[in-house]
Amino acid sequence: MHTSIKTRNSVPLPSPDLGLLYLRLTGAALLLYVHGIPKLLHYSTELQHIEDPFHLGASFSLWFALFAEVLCPVLIAIGLLTRLAALPVIALLLVAMLFVHPDWSIADGQFGWLLLIVFGAIALAGPGRYSMDAKRGQRGLS
């Protein structure tokens, strides 16, 4: 695998793997900071206010949100089981955008849609070379 792409003038450009690392780190940090950590720190308050669109119970909804917004971003950031870890994030975002906030305009929900784009790209492209998955030689859902 190459470390850089050459342009016509032979000026090296950064590797796509560097772009995937950037996408993983920044997307995971943003999700963790804006959603995951506040839910973790204010668990009891969140339990009283969390939406439960499928009537599975507030506890289940909050635990799933914590899984998708705390554990999964950590796995994605380090590149461990990356594609698999992106799936709960995508599922949570789709539920939020389509079922919890269906009345939001694109402008109202732009943060959620952008996170869907980021984690969708990670799920499709995989973690790249700078990841634990690559060090372990994982393919497929990693």
Side-chain angles (χ1 to χ4, degrees), residues 66-85:
L66 286 169
F67 174 72
E69 296 174 346
V70 175
L71 180 61
C72 291
V74 170
L75 292 172
I76 290 166
I78 64 174
L80 182 62
L81 303 172
T82 309
R83 286 183 162 143
L84 190 60

Side-chain angles (χ1 to χ4, degrees), residues 72-142:
C72 291
V74 170
L75 292 172
I76 290 166
I78 64 174
L80 182 62
L81 303 172
T82 309
R83 286 183 162 143
L84 190 60
L87 297 179
V89 175
I90 292 167
L92 184 73
L93 288 164
L94 284 172
V95 167
M97 301 313 294
L98 300 176
F99 295 98
V100 176
H101 305 292
D103 55 326
W104 281 2
S105 68
I106 295 291
D108 292 335
Q110 65 183 307
F111 182 72
W113 292 114
L114 284 170
L115 285 176
L116 268 167
I117 292 167
V118 167
F119 290 101
I122 291 168
L124 290 171
R129 183 169 43 154
Y130 305 115
S131 66
M132 295 297 293
D133 289 337
K135 300 239 182 291
R136 295 176 41 214
Q138 295 291 315
R139 297 284 181 248
L141 283 178
S142 59

